[in-house]
Amino acid sequence: MDTLLLPFSPRFIALTICTVATLVLFGVGIFDPKAFDLVLLPLLLFGALTLLGLRDLIQRSHAVLRNYPISAHLRFLLEEIRPEMRQYFFESEKDGMPFSRDTRAVIYQRAKMVLDKRPFGTQEDVYREGYEWMHHSVAPRPNAEQQFRLSIGGPDCARPYSASVFNISAMSFGALSPNAIRALNGGAKKGGFAHDTGEGGVSPYHRENGGDLIWQIGSGYFGCRNPDGSFNADEFAKVACEDQIKMIELKVSQGAKPGHGGVLPAAKVSEEISKIRGVGMGEDCISPAFHKAFSTPLELMAFLDEMRQLSGGKPTGFKLCIGHPWEFLAICKAMLQSGIYPDFIVVDGTEGGTGAAPLEFMDHLGMPMREGVNFVHNALIGIDARDRIKIGAAGKIATAFDMARAMAIGADWCNSARGFMFALGCIQSLSCHTDRCPTGVTTQDPSRNRALVVPHKIERVYNYHEAMLLALAELIAAAGLDHPQELRPIHFSQRTSTTEVRSFARLYPQLRPGELIAGTSDLRFRDAWDLARADSFAAAL
C-alpha cells in the first residue's frame, strides 16, 4: 500500500503533477484539435519537466535528485544564488568575507571620486576583543602636500627607484583580462605608481600604456625560460633592461597558496599566452612549487645578485609568505656570509591572494601578513641590515588604516591587489577561477571582458590611488606626523579583552640592532636562529 501511495508523497508529488498534467494536455490536444494551439506551450513545459523528473529517478550521481525528482533542482538553484542573496540582502555593513560591504563600498566611492563619508558614528563594536585604533595628537600637523614616496635600492643597486608608498600588487595576465591589465597600467602611468606584473610575464597589455612595472619572476621563469623550464639569463637581460621595468621581484612564495605550484592546462594555453610565457603550444604551463635556479639560501643570494647585474643594477628583491621561521633566518645568515643583500623584500600574508587555491592552503597555511612583516622587520634589525633593505607589505590592504598599521609594524610601502580589482569594478562574486567573471576583470572570454571599458577604468584606478594617499595623509597629520615612515608601534593599540588594552609596542616588541648576531634571548628568534643555516633551508637539528 505504501508503494502505491509513493507518487502522492511530498518527495514525488512534483513529478506526479507534471506527468498527470502532460497526459491531460496531450489528451485535450488529441481529442480537440481546435484547442491544440492553446495547450501546446504548457504541454511542452510539463512534458519537459516530466522527462527531467524521469531522468532524475534513474541517474546515479545525486541521491537527493533520486529521492526528490524535479523539486530537488530548486535546492541546487538556491545553492547557486546563495552568495548573491547573502551579499545583497543579508550582510550587514561590517559582514562579508574576504572584504566587508563597507570596505568594498569605500573603495568604489573613492575610485569614482564621490562622497566616501559615513554618518551617525561607527558601526564597529569598539569594546570587542581585537578592536584596533590609531592614536591622534592634540597637536595635529597640516596635511602633507607631497605624494609619499621612498627610494628603493641598497648600496649595491646602480639604479634606485623612487616608488609610491602604495602600488598595485602582483596579478598576472591570464589571471586578469587584457582590459584589466591595460586599465591598471594606465592608472599607474597617470598616477606615477608601480604595477607588479605577477609571475605570468610582461605582456603587450602591460607595455601598452607605459606605466612603471615591477617584473615578477616566479618558479616557471615565464618570459625568461629555456624549453626545459630553467632560467634563461639572456632572455631575462633582454626584458629586464627595458626602461619600463623599474624593479625585479623574485617570487619565492605567495600568500594564497605558499609552497604550492600551479598548472595552466595545455587546452588553455593560447597562442598569445604561449608567446608571452615562453611555453610551447599543446603543453601544460607549469609553475613548480620550487625553483630550479637555487636550492639553498646562499644560492638564492647569488641568483638575486645575478639578476641585479643582468638588469643593469635595478633594485632586485624577493617576495615570500613566511613559513618556517628558521628558513627566513637562514636567508639572513646567507646575507651575512655572502655579503649579498636584496634591495627589498615583499612580505605576503596568508590572508592575501587573488588566485584560486585549495581550501587548506588558503585557510591554514602560512603566516598572516602582520606577523610576517614584523618578523622580517625584526630579523633585518637583528642582523643590522634594516637600513639597506626596504620592506613591502601585501595582504588585504584596502584602506589607509590598513596601510598605516602595516607601516607602523615594519613595512616601508604597501601593495594591494584586490583593492585595485574593486577599483576596476570587481563585485566580489567569487567566480575568478571559473572564467565567468561578471565584470570582465578576471576572464579571458572576449564577450565578458569587453564590459571593462579601459579609459573609464584608468580613471578609477588613478582616483583610488590618489584617494588612498589623501586618506593616509589625513591619518598621518591627525597623529601629529609628517610622513608615514615616522609611524611606530606606539601609535596603535589593540583591545585584547573587554577590559584590557595593549599598545602595539607591547604586542610587537623590537629587537636591538645586531641582536641576532650577538646572540638573542628573545624566544621568538632564539631557537629558530640556532636552527638556521646559510647552506641549507633544512633545520640544523
Side-chain angles (χ1 to χ4, degrees), residues 488-526:
R488 297 293 182 269
I490 57 171
H491 295 120
F492 287 79
S493 289
Q494 181 186 92
R495 184 174 294 282
T496 54
S497 74
T498 54
T499 57
E500 185 176 9
V501 171
R502 289 190 179 184
S503 165
F504 272 26
R506 289 185 61 193
L507 295 174
Y508 301 99
Q510 185 166 298
L511 293 182
R512 298 184 308 276
E515 184 175 340
L516 288 177
I517 301 172
T520 181
S521 59
D522 192 311
L523 294 179
R524 297 173 299 160
F525 291 90
R526 186 189 64 191

Side-chain angles (χ1 to χ4, degrees), residues 110 130-135 370 396-408 414 468 471-472 475 487 491-493 504:
R110 288 174 177 174
Y131 176 73
E132 296 170 336
W133 65 93
M134 183 176 175
H135 304 161
R370 278 186 264 169
K396 219 171 180 181
I397 303 289
T399 68
F401 180 79
D402 298 333
M403 290 181 64
R405 179 176 55 196
M407 297 172 88
C414 295
M468 281 284 281
L472 180 63
L475 279 178
L487 285 166
H491 295 120
F492 287 79
S493 289
F504 272 26

Side-chain angles (χ1 to χ4, degrees), residues 101-117:
R101 173 175 290 276
D102 211 27
T103 299
R104 301 195 307 268
V106 78
I107 295 173
Y108 298 145
Q109 289 160 347
R110 288 174 177 174
K112 297 174 183 177
M113 280 297 181
V114 299
L115 186 67
D116 63 350
K117 305 301 184 284

Side-chain angles (χ1 to χ4, degrees), residues 256 356-365:
L359 180 111
E360 295 86 355
F361 279 72
M362 186 177 288
D363 287 352
H364 302 292
L365 201 67

